[in-house]
Structure formats: C-alpha cells, structure tokens
Amino acid sequence: MNAEREQLWGEVSPESLMEFTRNIAREVRSSGSPEELRAFQYAKEQLEEFGFSTELQFSDAYISLPVSAAMTIDGISFSCITHAMGLSTGSDGVKGELLYLGKGTPEDYRGVRASGKIVLLDGIATGPSVDRAQAAGARAAIFINGAYTNEMIVSSVWGSPTTETVARLPKLTVVSCNYKDGVRIKQLMARDSHPVRAWIRAEVDTGWRKIPVLTGELKGTVEPDKFVLFSGHIDSWHYGAMDNGTANATMLEVARLMAKRKGKLKRSLRIAFWSGHSHGRYAGSAWYCDQNWEDLHDNGVLHINIDSVGAIGSDILTENNCMAETKELAGISIRDIAGQTFEGSRFSRAGDQSFWGTGIPSLLMGLSEQPPTDAPEAQAFAQLFGGGKTGGYGWWWHTTEDTLDKIDPANLARDCRIYADIVYQACTAAVVPINQVGAVKEIRHALEAYREKAGEALPLALSVSRAEALQERLEELYGLVRSESLSEEAAVIANNGIMRLSRILVPLNYLSGDNFHHDPPIKPGCVPLLEKIDQLTYAEPGSDLFYMLITELTRNANKVNYALREAEQEAASTLAQLKQRING
C-alpha cells in the first residue's frame, strides 16, 4: 500500500489546486447568496466531471449577515464592524458608560457592576463572551481584535434555532475594532477623570433563508453502503481564499484523485460542501445531520473535515483537532508526508462537527497553522480554540485580507497530499483505521480524575472498573486484528464491531445532551455527563446545591456505566465472531 500511497502523493497538482481556488474564491460567498450558489454549482460540475453522483439540496436556515456599524468614544469616531447574530440598534444606536473588563472571563466580571454599561473586551467576539456580557446586564460589547477586525458569529445556538434554543440567541449589540484603535480607547479611559461614554450603531440582517448543501458520492466495492464523509464549507467572510477556498480546492482535487482509484475503494466516499457555516453557526451541516440521521448513524465510518489550508507560513502540522481514536490515522500521513509528529488536540465544539450524536468519529478541522507568536490576533485565536501552541490560521483569518496572495501553492499541495492520503487509507484499508483503544484510554483517564475529585460523595469505582475491562477487551480485539491476515468476511466483522463501538463511545466522550439534538458550541470536557463534578467539589455538603448535584450526577453516572457495559458486550461479541471466522 505504501507504493500506492506514494503514487497518489505524486499526482497532486499544485496547478489544479490553485485553479480550483481561483474559481471558488472569485466572489464573496455569503450564505444563501447568488454568489455562493455559483461556487456550489462550480463544485457540482467538477464532481460530475470526475464521475461522482451529486445532489444539490436547499434547506431553510436561520442566517445572519452583518451590514454596517459605527462607534464613537467620547465623541471621537472609530471604525468598527458588527457581527452575525448580534442585535441591531436602529438608527439611534445605543449609549452607555464604557467599562473595560480585560478578556471578559467570569473572574473579570466578579465584583464588578456591568449592568447598563458598554463593556470593552480584549480578543475575538465569541458566543460565550457575549453570553457573559449579556448575563451581566451590559447594553453592548466592544471587542478589541488584532491588526484587522475579525468577522465572527456570536450565537451560542448550534445551527438553526428551535423553540427550545431560541432564547439563547444574543440580545446584545456587538462590535469589534482593531488593536490600534483599542489601545487609543484604553488611553482615553486612563486619561479622563470622568466616565468615558460610548455610542454604537449596528445593523445586522438576520432571518430565514434558503441555503444550498452539495454532496457527491463514489461507491465502494466491498461495503458500498458504508461511507467516509469528507466535508468543508463554501460560504466565506469576504473573498475567503484560505477560508475556505483552498479547502474546497483540496476537496475537488481529492475527488479527482479518488475517482481515478474508484475500483480500489472498499467503502464509499461522500464529499459534502456546506453553507451556513459562517453566518448560521453550522446551519448547513446541522440540517444535513437532522435530515439524514439514520443513514449517518448506520453507515458513516469517519468524518474528515477541512478548513483553511495551504497558507503562506503555515508550517505547523502537529496541533490540529482529532479524536483519540483517529489520531493514529492522521499521524501516519503527517509523519510520512511532512516529517512532523502529530500531537493533536481534543476537538472543540466548532467547525461543522455536527455529527457526534450519530456516533461517527471525527478527524481534523484545519491542518496547517502558523508558528507561535505573541501578536494580538494569535492570542485571540488561541483564546477562541484553546491551546496556544501555534499562531492560528494567520492574521488575515476572517478579515478582508483573506485573498489569493495569502496562499502558498507548495503548502497547499502538501496539505492536499495529507488529506488525500487520509481519505485513501480510510476508504481502502481492509479494517477501518480507527483505534478504539485510544478512545477508551481517554475515557478511563477522565473517569479516574473524576473519581479522585468526587471522593466519597459520588462513587465511581464501577465506572473506572468497566472502562478498564473494556480497554482490556479492546486490546485483545485489536491484537487479533493486527496479528492476522483477515479475509474479506472477517474484516467486515471487525469493521461492523468498530462502527458499533463508535456509536457508543463518541457520544459518551463528547456529548452532554442527547444524540438527536445539538449541544451548544462550547468545548466539551471528556465525558461531559460528569463535568459538574467540578461544581460538586465547591458545593457545601448538606446544601440544596450539593444534594441536587448528587442527584443529577448519580443519574449521569448511570448513563456512563450503562454505555460502558454496552461497549464491553459489543467488543466481546465482535471478538467472538472474529475468532469463529478465523478458526473456521
């Protein structure tokens, strides 16, 4: 297979990649716009030319497009932008005393009266930051970005709202200014003895729109109903050459290369282009999940996501997102092609990760990032996604400056080789390259930490022992798989077992809600059902809060224990079937 992989790498065309990027990024692609639809139609034509069967659908989605904004501080005008899902002010705007609160963390609000004021915050505008400002009673929020203002969506609702989630939509006016103006505003506040007054006007066009979703499929030869989902969004902020033109180009180039190898695909490849990513908080992928939940649950093997690849200076390929069970697959490709050791980072709740409830394992969101820097925009990016080991996707991310001159054809070809290699291995390996031992190790370590925190207040010995037993069973299963040259029938048995385990372990490891609704875009801890153990450690024993937390956590621990029991039974059943097939 290594010879096949090397041949694949050699066929990646930098010229084709740049041509695809130029065609996708020639217009601004707001969700639901005619310009965006033209990019979708271009991608559809390319997929059909390569031999994919395609489907272009349209969904009703709640979309928010920033229109205009203005701001004065003590009568001095400053440039600013407003944000998707922020509140429009009307022509009169909003006024208030300005209050600087650092990064707007919970600690920054503690002991401070923000009610009725306009808060000034460092960093990129995010849903949680806006939620905290709103909860504190602020009239509006001003965010200080980097050299350029970063377009953002500030809703904490995943996808289009429902009657249950609509109350979480922002009811706050939100704007951002650049770092230089932010420093000037802080200087005004430090110099003046009287309270500094701010005035903000913002217009945001928010409502229901039709948005497109495009899928293309190549059928596999051994397990044609099973598929690898390879996805990325087409909608953009401004011209979006990097975000997400290069990713769309990579998807098309990978489609071209896989079509040439159609006969070698054991399982199908489904490529999906989303709208509503930037302007609807992943409304397109969430809708697709809702409409195809059973197909995704029954047949989805792996979700590979792509965003913002191939930029100039994007030399770091070690830190992007993965699940513990998919880390090994990415690591092989990154090591063999780029010579770097993939460390990976646990997924944040971002980047069209709409499929965790279906139990499909996920791999990557972006791939290549900038070297670490102390620049404000890099620090803001780290605040948004966590970590801080890289400089993010570049100072031009989500700005007017995301244009073709930010793309390095060599880096784009490198990133495309890695994605093509990952897709090829996922579609052609006899046994799907998902290591459930890694998932269970992560879960077991989290349960051990929870048990230590909870102490005697919440017994978790059963949870830990079941995780240990599951890990032992899976190590036996994977040891058998890797020691044998499996027949096609035996490989299918192993694959079915691995998929059924994913349906249990992915939700257990990543969901706080149920499998059919979408958690808010907040980074989950491992085994989120037990995260409130942190609150339990601070609750006064015997208090109402203490007893309520014990009741809730006991029920959630039951869910965890049941899932682990189901997973151990599934692993044992798969192991028994596999042994029977191997031994005849």
Side-chain angles (χ1 to χ4, degrees):
M1 190 170 178
N2 284 336
E4 295 176 7
R5 291 172 62 213
E6 289 179 7
Q7 182 179 359
L8 172 66
W9 308 340
E11 292 180 19
V12 170
S13 168
E15 293 77 21
S16 292
L17 285 163
M18 290 305 298
E19 180 64 18
F20 292 146
T21 302
R22 279 189 288 270
N23 278 284
I24 292 288
R26 63 185 175 183
E27 295 183 278
V28 176
R29 304 178 300 286
S30 297
S31 296
S33 68
E35 295 83 3
E36 180 199 50
L37 182 57
R38 284 195 284 270
F40 269 90
Q41 290 167 336
Y42 172 77
K44 184 176 186 290
E45 292 167 2
Q46 296 301 312
L47 289 176
E48 290 172 349
E49 184 178 319
F50 301 148
F52 279 69
S53 60
T54 66
E55 184 176 19
L56 180 62
Q57 299 173 280
F58 293 86
S59 72
D60 294 303
Y62 197 67
I63 299 299
S64 184
L65 305 176
V67 177
S68 64
M71 174 174 70
T72 65
I73 309 295
D74 267 2
I76 303 172
S77 294
F78 290 90
S79 296
C80 65
I81 62 171
T82 190
H83 295 291
M85 299 293 179
L87 189 68
S88 293
T89 63
S91 58
D92 291 341
V94 295
K95 301 175 182 177
E97 179 184 336
L98 195 59
L99 175 66
Y100 175 60
L101 286 177
K103 294 181 179 180
T105 65
E107 292 74 22
D108 291 326
Y109 282 95
R110 194 164 290 129
V112 176
R113 184 171 180 177
S115 180
K117 298 178 181 178
I118 295 176
V119 293
L120 179 67
L121 307 170
D122 292 319
I124 292 174
T126 66
S129 296
V130 169
D131 289 345
R132 285 192 290 271
Q134 183 172 301
R139 299 200 68 192
I142 303 168
F143 287 84
I144 301 172
N145 300 167
Y148 291 82
T149 46
N150 299 96
E151 305 279 1
M152 296 297 294
I153 184 169
V154 295
S155 169
S156 290
V157 174
W158 190 278
S160 297
T162 67
T163 58
E164 295 177 336
T165 63
V166 66
R168 296 207 309 265
L169 289 174
K171 302 174 184 66
L172 194 72
T173 299
V174 187
V175 298
S176 290
C177 65
N178 64 37
Y179 183 76
K180 183 178 178 181
D181 284 347
V183 170
R184 288 180 60 204
I185 294 169
K186 290 179 187 178
Q187 288 171 344
L188 284 174
M189 297 179 72
R191 184 183 65 196
D192 291 348
S193 57
H194 61 83
V196 171
R197 305 283 296 179
W199 171 84
I200 296 170
R201 178 183 53 76
E203 181 182 357
V204 185
D205 182 6
T206 303
W208 293 92
R209 288 178 171 82
K210 292 285 187 183
I211 63 169
V213 171
L214 171 65
T215 54
E217 189 152 335
L218 278 181
K219 285 294 184 183
T221 58
V222 177
E223 301 175 275
D225 291 338
K226 303 295 186 280
F227 61 88
V228 172
L229 178 65
F230 182 29
S231 84
H233 69 93
I234 281 188
D235 59 296
S236 70
W237 291 115
H238 307 290
Y239 286 98
M242 178 193 72
D243 185 8
N244 210 25
T246 52
N248 301 149
T250 299
M251 295 167 72
L252 292 175
E253 180 69 352
V254 169
R256 181 183 73 84
L257 296 170
M258 294 303 113
K260 294 176 62 177
R261 293 160 171 81
K262 182 178 179 180
K264 295 182 178 180
L265 305 186
K266 290 183 168 60
R267 51 204 66 91
S268 299
L269 171 61
R270 185 178 298 178
I271 293 185
F273 294 84
W274 314 122
S275 177
H277 168 103
S278 300
H279 313 102
R281 185 60 83 187
Y282 320 121
S285 60
W287 176 87
Y288 187 80
C289 178
D290 297 341
Q291 297 298 314
N292 300 277
W293 195 96
E294 287 191 0
D295 182 35
L296 290 158
H297 175 270
D298 294 346
N299 299 308
V301 175
L302 174 67
H303 175 215
I304 304 166
N305 188 248
I306 183 166
D307 204 308
S308 302
V309 294
I312 54 174
S314 57
D315 298 327
I316 309 297
L317 293 95
T318 59
E319 305 301 325
N320 220 277
N321 297 123
C322 66
M323 290 183 175
E325 58 266 45
T326 61
K327 177 181 175 180
E328 187 176 295
L329 173 58
I332 290 170
S333 297
I334 291 169
R335 177 199 66 200
D336 293 350
I337 294 169
Q340 297 186 35
T341 301
F342 184 60
E343 297 295 333
S345 59
R346 183 177 167 84
F347 268 105
S348 178
R349 185 89 172 110
D352 286 300
Q353 294 300 315
S354 295
F355 308 103
W356 296 348
T358 68
I360 300 179
S362 290
L363 179 58
L364 299 177
M365 183 166 56
L367 175 61
S368 55
E369 299 180 70
Q370 303 292 314
T373 173
D374 292 330
E377 54 269 19
Q379 296 303 308
F381 191 90
Q383 180 186 351
L384 180 63
F385 289 105
K389 294 182 180 179
T390 76
Y393 291 143
W395 57 264
W396 53 88
W397 177 74
H398 281 209
T399 77
T400 57
E401 305 306 300
D402 185 2
T403 46
L404 284 170
D405 59 307
K406 307 307 184 303
I407 309 307
D408 183 334
N411 286 350
L412 180 54
R414 174 204 62 200
D415 292 354
C416 182
R417 291 185 189 103
I418 291 169
Y419 269 102
D421 192 55
I422 290 171
V423 169
Y424 184 68
Q425 292 190 70
C427 288
T428 61
V431 176
V432 294
I434 294 168
N435 185 354
Q436 302 290 14
V437 175
V440 174
K441 282 183 177 179
E442 184 175 50
I443 291 169
R444 179 175 63 82
H445 291 322
L447 291 174
E448 289 170 346
Y450 284 136
R451 179 179 61 179
E452 184 175 348
K453 284 183 181 179
E456 296 181 0
L458 183 72
L460 292 175
L462 178 60
S463 305
V464 173
S465 65
R466 284 188 175 175
E468 290 171 344
L470 175 58
Q471 182 179 329
E472 290 177 7
R473 187 76 72 177
L474 286 173
E475 286 171 346
E476 184 181 0
L477 173 60
Y478 276 87
L480 180 61
V481 166
R482 289 167 177 169
S483 67
E484 297 282 344
S485 179
L486 298 184
S487 66
E488 191 172 280
E489 294 80 6
V492 169
I493 290 171
N495 289 336
N496 288 338
I498 290 169
M499 280 187 60
R500 287 192 294 267
L501 283 163
S502 290
R503 276 42 188 175
I504 301 169
L505 298 177
V506 170
L508 175 62
N509 201 352
Y510 276 90
L511 292 190
S512 60
D514 68 41
N515 293 36
F516 299 93
H517 294 81
H518 300 279
D519 284 351
I522 299 170
K523 185 173 184 177
C526 189
V527 192
L529 287 168
L530 299 179
E531 279 192 294
K532 287 188 179 179
I533 285 175
D534 288 335
Q535 295 183 35
L536 182 65
T537 60
Y538 296 108
E540 182 181 347
S543 65
D544 287 347
L545 177 60
F546 179 83
Y547 287 124
M548 287 189 291
L549 285 169
I550 288 293
T551 302
E552 180 179 349
L553 286 166
T554 298
R555 294 170 183 173
N556 286 350
N558 288 337
K559 291 183 185 180
V560 171
N561 293 338
Y562 182 77
L564 291 169
R565 189 184 75 173
E566 292 289 292
E568 201 280 333
Q569 291 174 352
E570 181 57 55
S573 174
T574 301
L575 184 60
Q577 293 177 58
L578 202 54
K579 285 180 177 178
Q580 184 178 13
R581 172 62 66 175
I582 290 171
N583 296 329

